Amino acid sequence: GDSVTQMEGPVTLSEEAFLTINCTYTATGYPSLFWYVQYPGEGLQLLLKATKADDKGSNKGFEATYRKETTSFHLEKGSVQVSDSAVYFCALRPNNAGNMLTFGGGTRLMVKP
Amino acid sequence: GAVVSQHPSRVICKSGTSVKIECRSLDFQATTMFWYRQFPKQSLMLMATSNEGSKATYEQGVEKDKFLINHASLTLSTLTVTSAHPEDSSFYICSAKGGIVNEQYFGPGTRLTVT
C-alpha cells in the first residue's frame, strides 16, 4: 500500500539556519504530495502542495519539489525563525482516490533564538 | 477562506459517559468530512469518512458503535464517543472538503481526556 516516510525528529536549529526535512513516499502512479504544519495544541494547516512531477510548491519561505525519480518531496527553508517551531507532516493523496490522505509520522522542528 | 472549526477545544469526561464533538465548515459547504485521531507525538490516523446525508465509512479497526458519526448537513458533522474509557483519551481532529474546496482543511482539534 501507499506510505510516507519522514526523517525522525526532533530537528533543532538556530534561528536563520537552513532547514531540510526529508520525505520519501511509496505509491503507484503520480500521487499529489503535501506538507502540513501543526503548531502546538492546534490542528493541521496546509503549508504547500505539488500535484505532478517536477512541480515546486512554496509558501511562507518554505518550498518542496516533487521528484518522481527519487520519490521524494523534501521540505526546505533558507532561514528559519523561532515561529517556525512546529510539527511538519508530509502526506500523499493517490490520483485515483479523491479523498484519502496518507500521512508520514511527522517531524518536530525546534528553532532556538 | 476554507475555515473549519471544532467544539469543544478541550473536554474532560468521566469513564462511562458519552461526549460529542462538533466539526463545522464556516465558509464553504463540506460534502465530505473526515475524523482523525492523533496520539501524543504520533501522526494522524484516519478513523472515518462521512459524506453529507449518508452513513460514515469507518477504517479498519475503528468501532462504529463506539464512535458515532453524523453528517446531517453540509456544514456540520459530529463525532460522539460513547461509553468513554481512559484509553479513548486523545486528540481528535476533523477535516472537510467540498465544492470549490478541493483539498482537506483541518479543524483545530479537540483534546479529550477521560478520567
Side-chain angles (χ1 to χ4, degrees):
Chain A
D2 297 341
S3 67
V4 177
T5 302
Q6 291 179 237
M7 58 189 294
E8 287 194 23
V11 173
T12 304
L13 296 173
S14 297
E15 208 166 20
E16 299 184 2
F18 185 87
L19 168 71
T20 299
I21 300 178
N22 290 339
C23 170
T24 57
Y25 68 90
T26 302
T28 55
Y30 290 83
S32 295
L33 302 174
F34 305 82
W35 276 102
Y36 286 87
V37 57
Q38 183 179 33
Y39 296 101
E42 298 183 12
L44 273 68
Q45 299 176 27
L46 178 62
L47 182 59
L48 53 85
K49 68 176 183 180
T51 58
K52 60 182 188 294
D54 299 326
D55 265 4
K56 178 184 284 188
S58 62
N59 185 26
K60 299 180 181 178
F62 291 90
E63 59 182 35
T65 301
Y66 189 143
R67 301 287 188 199
K68 179 66 175 175
E69 63 276 15
T70 55
T71 62
S72 65
F73 193 54
H74 304 323
L75 182 68
E76 296 182 336
K77 186 175 185 181
S79 176
V80 293
Q81 305 299 314
V82 173
S83 57
D84 293 327
S85 299
V87 180
Y88 293 81
F89 291 94
C90 185
L92 71 81
R93 185 186 66 210
N95 264 354
N96 62 350
N99 292 324
M100 296 294 294
L101 283 172
T102 299
F103 286 91
T107 303
R108 182 175 301 275
L109 170 66
M110 296 191 296
V111 181
K112 298 184 175 181
Chain B
V3 179
V4 177
S5 70
Q6 280 184 244
H7 178 79
S9 57
R10 292 177 178 271
V11 58
I12 301 173
C13 70
K14 292 188 176 181
S15 189
T17 62
S18 296
V19 61
K20 180 184 287 187
I21 302 170
E22 293 184 348
C23 177
R24 294 182 185 271
S25 57
L26 298 185
D27 53 2
F28 68 101
Q29 294 186 326
T31 51
T32 307
M33 287 186 167
F34 307 83
W35 288 95
Y36 294 84
R37 184 173 180 177
Q38 185 181 31
F39 291 100
K41 298 185 179 181
Q42 294 189 27
S43 189
L44 280 72
M45 292 179 53
L46 180 64
M47 299 174 65
T49 303
S50 72
N51 292 298
E52 186 265 338
S54 61
K55 290 184 178 180
T57 302
Y58 289 82
E59 295 300 301
Q60 194 172 8
V62 178
E63 299 175 61
K64 60 182 178 183
D65 294 331
K66 179 169 186 59
F67 298 99
L68 300 178
I69 292 172
N70 183 278
H71 190 172
S73 79
L74 285 171
T75 59
L76 173 65
S77 176
T78 60
L79 167 67
T80 301
V81 183
T82 62
S83 188
H85 291 287
E87 55 265 30
D88 298 325
S89 298
S90 191
F91 196 51
Y92 293 88
I93 303 175
C94 73
S95 69
K97 64 178 291 187
I100 61 172
V101 178
N102 294 322
E103 306 299 346
Q104 290 185 37
Y105 280 81
F106 288 79
T110 296
R111 183 160 304 283
L112 169 64
T113 304
V114 184
T115 61

